[in-house]
């Protein structure tokens, strides 16, 4: 597209958790499918500088970008939908905005002025929004504002949007996402909360251009017109967003509702190519019409909160579709697993994935699960802490190092088979100080990893402080656990596998961050394929 970058803002009203991230990603997908270049950004109104220090119970998974930014899990959706990497610039928090402003103030850059929310904080917000546009590569920058309009902490963001709309006129557009609650007693959807939410936005000086209304039921006749009348939008700019079977249906549902066309016309773009979603629809067909089914156990300590493993769950879905297989995930609580119940808990599973994590809680259960997978030749996939636990398990039960451990869990172990990386030893701050982002890795000749990837040189994203302790490498290799992926520079062990097993891989990195609808990750595809091969006949299913 020629001309200036267009800015689309997505705000939320009525309640949180309406799925702004999925709506933003779906709109972006539709624009991309019309040949435009798009990026999506998330502004988070909390004070943490990034979500890296947040407990998963707070905001779910922390998503890591190529450039090593620890970001909101919505960036995972953006990448999975668009198949385009995001970066630090795609996630900005209030903490970071203030940190930048305060650093400038300390450097004396405000030349003696009083530093205030308006204009200094709002200027910094606008600078961060436009930084993506200034790259000159995007036709559209979609900016999703976290939280709900009316929250005290989102006020500066809405004010920044107001100012940008004023400055940029037709190059800006605001989409407001609301909820139409359904009252069962009267059998009706109600529009009042949407009206109030738009009034709230208007009181802050922002007139939404498009309303996307989340609803469990189809909108009644005349409802779009009614909302349009009360909220100063055109009826065609009132978009119904029904609950979908899968998030991957949402781009198609939004296309049916004409969301992308309304957006393009309102931004003054009158002629545009047709949407081409051939590959996307092919993915959906394979996803929805599976020819086989497998049950895979996901062993972790946050299983009651599946958002903590969002990217892993989605990567398994992508790999399922690639194999035309329905993947049933059995969420297994690592804290509740022990030597006594492990066989019963994991019986009937065709694959066992041990999840990443921090701290000692649940790690003994993870080790039991790995022992079970190794001894019973069940396909095993360990990610980050899951890989480290596989090394500990092998040390304890094959090499006879009975107290083998990671120094993260036991600083005094006689066998620190996993230990703090050299460069981590002097690190005191917690935020942004892990080994983060993409690093290269070389795969070993004749390894399963090489077979799965089909190439020798790979790069993958990391997020950890501990590593395989190389002083044990020789003993492990002799005993049958080989390092099949090595970081060429630091010689860090990135992948371990065992030979005498149908599929046993532990990776120090996070392949789940790289899996997208367009390109399911090879390791997940290989793992699901191995699980299909190992699938237990019906009737021998694991206990629910
Ligand atoms: N806690 C481990 C480390 O810091 C593993 C981290 C992870 O699983 N992401 O090395």
């Amino acid at each position: 597209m020629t001309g200036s970058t267009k800015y689309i803002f997505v705000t939320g009203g009525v309640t949180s958790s309406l799925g702004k991230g999925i709506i933003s990603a779906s709109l972006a997908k539709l624009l991309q499918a019309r040949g435009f270049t798009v990026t999506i950004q998330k502004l988070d109104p909390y004070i943490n500088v990034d979500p890296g220090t947040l407990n998963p119970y707070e905001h779910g998974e922390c998503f890591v970008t190529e450039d090593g930014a620890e970001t909101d899990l919505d960036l995972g959706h953006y990448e999975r939908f668009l198949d385009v990497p995001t970066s630090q610039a795609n996630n900005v928090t209030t903490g970071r905005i203030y940190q930048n402003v305060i650093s400038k103030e300390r450097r004396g850059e405000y030349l003696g002025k009083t530093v205030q929310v308006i204009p200094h904080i709002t200027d910094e917000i606008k600078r961060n929004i436009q930084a993506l546009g200034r790259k000159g590569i995007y036709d559209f920058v979609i900016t999703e504002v976290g939280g709900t309009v009316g929250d005290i902490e989102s006020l500066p963001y809405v004010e920044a949007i107001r100012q940008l709309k004023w400055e940029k006129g037709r190059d800006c557009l605001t989409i407001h996402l609301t909820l139409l609650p359904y009252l069962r007693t009267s059998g009706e959807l109600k529009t009042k909360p949407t009206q109030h939410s738009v009034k709230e936005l208007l009181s802050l000086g922002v007139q939404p251009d498009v309303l996307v209304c989340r609803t469990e039921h189809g909108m009644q006749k005349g409802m779009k017109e009614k909302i349009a009348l009360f909220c100063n939008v055109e009826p065609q700019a009132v978009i119904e967003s029904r609950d979908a079977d899968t998030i991957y249906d949402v781009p198609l549902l939004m296309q049916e509702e004409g969301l992308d066309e309304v957006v393009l016309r309102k931004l003054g773009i009158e002629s545009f190519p047709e949407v081409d979603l051939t590959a996307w629809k092919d993915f959906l067909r394979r996803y929805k019409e599976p020819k086989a089914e497998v049950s895979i156990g996901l062993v972790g300590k946050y299983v009651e909160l599946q958002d903590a493993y969002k990217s892993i769950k989605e990567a398994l879905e992508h790999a399922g579709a690639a194999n035309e297989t329905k993947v049933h995930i059995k969420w297994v609580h690592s804290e509740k697993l022990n030597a006594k119940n492990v066989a019963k808990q994991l019986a009937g599973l065709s694959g066992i994935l041990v999840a990443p994590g921090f701290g000692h809680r649940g790690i003994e259960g993870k080790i039991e699960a790995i022992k079970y997978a190794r001894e019973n030749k069940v396909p095993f996939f360990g990610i980050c802490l899951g890989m480290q636990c596989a090394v500990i398990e092998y040390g304890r039960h094959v090499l006879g190092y009975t107290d083998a451990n990671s120094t993260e869990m036991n600083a005094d172990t006689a066998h620190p088979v996993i230990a703090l990386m050299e460069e981590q030893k002097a690190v005191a701050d917690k935020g942004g100080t892990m080994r983060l982002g993409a690093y290269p890795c070389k795969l070993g000749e004749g390894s399963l990893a090489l077979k799965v990837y089909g190439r020798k040189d790979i790069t993958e994203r990391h997020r950890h402080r501990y590593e395989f302790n190389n002083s044990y490498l020789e003993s492990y290799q002799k005993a049958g656990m080989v390092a099949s992926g090595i970081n060429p520079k630091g010689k860090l062990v990135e992948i371990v596998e065992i030979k005498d097993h149908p599929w046993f891989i532990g990776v120090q990195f996070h392949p789940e961050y790289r899996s997208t609808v367009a390109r399911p990750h090879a390791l997940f595809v290989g793992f699901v394929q191995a699980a299909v091969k190992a699938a237990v006949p019906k009737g021998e299913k694991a206990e629910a």
Side-chain angles (χ1 to χ4, degrees):
M1 188 175 76
T2 48
S4 48
T5 300
K6 310 280 185 191
Y7 293 91
I8 300 171
F9 302 104
V10 180
T11 59
V14 183
T15 163
S16 58
S17 304
L18 289 180
K20 284 193 297 271
I22 301 297
I23 292 294
S24 304
S26 299
L27 172 61
K29 185 75 219 169
L30 291 172
L31 294 171
Q32 186 192 53
R34 289 190 189 274
F36 296 109
T37 52
V38 197
T39 190
I40 321 175
Q41 175 185 47
K42 173 93 189 268
L43 303 180
D44 275 310
Y46 52 70
I47 314 289
N48 303 65
V49 171
D50 62 43
T53 53
L54 288 173
N55 184 318
Y57 289 117
E58 298 285 313
H59 281 275
E61 167 188 282
C62 170
F63 185 81
V64 179
T65 58
E66 289 291 300
D67 63 345
E70 296 178 284
T71 70
D72 186 78
L73 57 73
D74 272 337
L75 273 78
H77 290 310
Y78 308 161
E79 291 202 8
R80 288 187 282 273
F81 275 56
L82 296 182
D83 194 35
V84 175
T86 54
S87 70
Q88 178 67 73
N90 294 74
N91 191 199
V92 180
T93 68
T94 294
R96 188 172 297 277
I97 297 283
Y98 272 81
Q99 193 181 47
N100 292 348
V101 168
I102 291 169
S103 304
K104 269 190 214 164
E105 185 272 338
R106 293 288 84 185
R107 291 195 298 269
E109 288 182 24
Y110 294 110
L111 305 175
K113 287 270 181 220
T114 308
V115 181
Q116 297 184 291
V117 172
I118 305 171
H120 303 103
I121 294 297
T122 46
D123 277 354
E124 182 61 18
I125 294 173
K126 290 195 293 183
R127 191 185 68 75
N128 275 277
I129 293 170
Q130 294 178 96
L132 283 167
R134 282 203 201 96
K135 286 187 170 178
I137 46 179
Y138 301 115
D139 298 322
F140 297 92
V141 173
I142 300 181
T143 299
E144 175 194 345
V145 181
T148 309
V149 166
D151 295 347
I152 290 177
E153 55 182 23
S154 5
L155 286 176
Y157 293 98
V158 180
E159 170 60 15
I161 294 174
R162 186 194 68 76
Q163 293 177 18
L164 272 177
K165 284 191 92 166
W166 178 250
E167 288 161 25
K168 292 193 170 288
R170 260 195 122 176
D171 284 344
C172 279
L173 175 132
T174 307
I175 299 175
H176 190 54
L177 185 61
T178 72
L179 174 72
L180 300 177
Y182 177 74
L183 287 194
R184 209 169 341 147
T185 39
S186 59
E188 283 179 309
L189 293 171
K190 304 306 274 183
T191 66
K192 198 71 85 189
T194 296
Q195 296 175 37
H196 281 301
S197 177
V198 170
K199 280 216 175 84
E200 185 76 43
L201 206 47
L202 282 169
S203 75
L204 302 170
V206 174
Q207 165 67 54
D209 302 287
V210 177
L211 293 175
V212 175
C213 304
R214 285 298 309 276
T215 158
E216 283 174 59
H217 301 272
M219 281 163 86
Q220 295 122 15
K221 206 170 166 282
M223 193 167 260
K224 285 191 175 178
E225 287 72 16
K226 181 177 171 187
I227 294 172
L229 178 69
F230 278 98
C231 302
N232 324 321
V233 293
E234 292 159 28
Q236 359 14 321
V238 180
I239 304 291
E240 172 179 319
S241 170
R242 288 278 289 275
D243 290 357
D245 293 338
T246 154
I247 52 172
Y248 300 114
D249 273 336
V250 179
L252 297 172
L253 296 174
M254 288 301 99
Q255 189 194 3
E256 271 170 36
E257 280 287 301
L259 173 64
D260 55 325
E261 285 199 37
V262 170
V263 163
L264 286 164
R265 295 224 158 84
K266 288 203 168 287
L267 285 166
I269 305 164
E270 292 297 338
S271 63
F272 34 80
E274 284 296 308
V275 167
D276 179 5
L277 281 176
T278 320
W280 190 268
K281 286 183 183 160
D282 187 49
F283 163 82
L284 275 175
R285 183 192 53 73
R286 280 178 284 119
Y287 179 75
K288 289 186 172 178
E289 296 165 23
K291 299 197 167 74
E293 290 183 45
V294 283
S295 292
I296 285 179
L298 197 157
V299 183
K301 65 175 168 179
Y302 297 112
V303 292
E304 66 282 28
L305 179 91
Q306 297 174 4
D307 265 4
Y309 304 115
K310 193 89 191 168
S311 294
I312 294 179
K313 180 176 170 284
E314 298 307 321
L316 284 170
E317 307 269 20
H318 305 158
N323 283 291
E324 293 189 271
T325 297
K326 169 82 196 148
V327 176
H328 298 282
I329 300 179
K330 179 179 176 184
W331 301 87
V332 183
H333 203 309
S334 52
E335 259 188 310
K336 294 185 184 150
L337 270 187
N338 54 46
K340 272 200 189 130
N341 65 15
V342 67
K344 203 168 162 203
Q345 285 280 322
L346 305 182
L349 295 172
S350 312
I352 293 168
L353 190 155
V354 175
F358 294 84
H360 72 276
R361 188 164 70 88
I363 95 141
E364 294 304 323
K366 287 184 170 174
I367 292 169
E368 286 300 340
I370 296 165
K371 181 167 183 275
Y372 174 89
R374 183 176 57 76
E375 291 179 345
N376 293 283
K377 307 240 184 287
V378 182
F380 164 77
F381 190 10
I383 300 180
C384 209
L385 182 62
M387 170 268 198
Q388 297 177 351
C389 286
V391 171
I392 298 169
E393 192 280 321
Y394 210 76
R396 286 188 192 174
H397 305 123
V398 179
L399 285 143
Y401 308 149
T402 41
D403 82 332
N405 218 328
S406 162
T407 53
E408 180 182 6
M409 319 302 163
N410 176 7
D412 305 320
T413 170
H415 291 288
V417 294
I418 303 290
L420 201 59
M421 279 178 279
E422 207 43 52
E423 66 266 31
Q424 286 289 327
K425 291 190 176 152
V427 171
D429 279 3
K430 291 277 179 261
T433 55
M434 281 187 249
R435 180 179 182 228
L436 289 166
Y439 284 90
C441 171
K442 221 176 202 21
L443 304 183
E445 214 60 74
S447 64
L448 174 60
L450 179 60
K451 204 169 133 205
V452 169
Y453 275 95
R455 60 181 196 281
K456 259 192 136 164
D457 292 292
I458 59 163
T459 66
E460 291 285 0
R461 300 182 200 173
H462 292 252
R463 183 173 189 246
H464 62 115
R465 293 187 200 280
Y466 296 81
E467 58 159 325
F468 183 96
N469 181 345
N470 272 333
S471 55
Y472 286 94
L473 186 56
E474 221 186 298
S475 317
Y476 269 81
Q477 307 242 55
K478 271 195 195 136
M481 177 173 267
V482 298
S484 58
I486 303 275
N487 172 274
K489 242 196 188 160
K491 300 292 169 222
L492 299 183
V493 172
E494 313 284 35
I495 310 179
V496 295
E497 53 185 76
I498 54 179
K499 291 281 173 220
D500 183 23
H501 193 284
W503 209 98
F504 189 105
I505 290 188
V507 293
Q508 183 60 81
F509 46 80
H510 291 263
E512 69 274 22
Y513 296 143
R514 277 270 186 93
S515 187
T516 68
V517 165
R519 282 182 299 163
H521 195 286
L523 281 172
F524 281 88
V525 175
F527 175 56
V528 170
Q529 199 176 35
V532 174
K533 259 197 207 158
V536 244
K538 273 205 168 85
E540 291 176 37
K541 285 264 147 72
E543 292 193 0

